Amino acid sequence: MSSQSKPIILLSRQEIEATVRRLAAEITKDYRNRNPVLISVLKGSFIFMADLVRLLDFPLEVDFMRLSSYGRSSRTSGKVRVVQDIGSAIKGRDIIVIEDIVDTGLTTSFLLGYLREKNPASLRLSALTEKPSRRKVSVNVDYLGFTVPDKFLVGYGLDWDEKFRYLPDICYVEVE
Ligand code: IMP
């Protein structure tokens, strides 16, 4: 990306807010009495998680994980490792993974497999966005925000090389 190129809005903050409200309503309907653990995948889902939990007016817990694909690239390398694990025991608990984006699906698929081995009572996924055109492994998103085109997204937590996470809208940038 040239240093001159500017992020262009794809999804406005108003559209995002309405969608997060819709997801919160769906999750509330299913989890109101289940005291779920919401696991946010850092760093990209931190804003989505923060907005979402404030719309969930029932008992729940939060936890965080950090995953990384090797290499520094705008495209995932496909090799995933756990950089920071959850702090809570999730055996027998109802888990909702909170993701920013499902692109090839490799990261999310790894994560769901990793968490499944810890024997939760149930395991579901909420992703704010997904890019089906780039999917390499099948991942079922239980609570999906937006289906997005094959563009490199930034803002609302998403970054390009650690830039632009703070933008309130979801934008796209031209990358090499
Ligand atoms: P996947 O393994 O290809 O599904 O990609 C997972 C991770 O790659 C996401 O959690 C993001 O951190 C990153 N990623 C994929 N596409 C984008 C994008 O368009 N913008 C920013 N990060 C992305």
Side-chain angles (χ1 to χ4, degrees), residues 41-45 67 69 73-78 80 99-109 129 131 134-135 139 148-155 157-160 165 171:
V41 186
L42 296 172
K43 299 179 189 175
S45 71
L67 302 173
S69 343
S73 152
S74 62
R75 297 303 193 193
T76 187
S77 68
V80 184
E99 272 279 23
D100 50 356
I101 187 162
V102 181
D103 186 14
T104 63
L106 291 165
T107 306
T108 312
S109 156
T129 63
K131 274 185 212 168
R134 291 190 15 96
R135 192 62 40 83
V139 172
V148 294
D150 184 13
K151 293 189 177 296
F152 199 80
L153 306 184
V154 296
L158 289 158
D159 74 309
W160 181 75
R165 288 194 198 275
C171 304

Side-chain angles (χ1 to χ4, degrees), residues 161-176:
D161 198 16
E162 292 304 324
K163 298 177 186 66
F164 306 126
R165 288 194 198 275
Y166 55 88
L167 297 176
D169 309 295
I170 294 180
C171 304
Y172 64 91
V173 289
E174 303 298 339
V175 294
E176 75 288 351

Side-chain angles (χ1 to χ4, degrees), residues 11-22:
L11 300 164
S12 69
R13 63 200 79 179
Q14 292 83 1
E15 287 173 89
I16 298 168
E17 191 192 334
T19 294
V20 176
R21 282 191 185 284
R22 171 180 57 80

Side-chain angles (χ1 to χ4, degrees), residues 78-133:
K79 292 179 207 149
V80 184
R81 65 195 166 103
V82 175
V83 175
Q84 183 193 315
D85 208 342
I86 45 173
S88 34
I90 61 164
K91 186 165 189 246
R93 301 292 303 269
D94 290 308
I95 306 303
I96 312 172
V97 170
I98 307 298
E99 272 279 23
D100 50 356
I101 187 162
V102 181
D103 186 14
T104 63
L106 291 165
T107 306
T108 312
S109 156
F110 165 86
L111 175 61
L112 293 174
Y114 180 83
L115 293 175
R116 207 168 280 122
E117 284 187 4
K118 295 179 187 278
N119 294 315
S122 69
L123 181 61
R124 284 193 182 167
L125 170 67
S126 179
L128 185 61
T129 63
E130 73 162 351
K131 274 185 212 168
S133 56

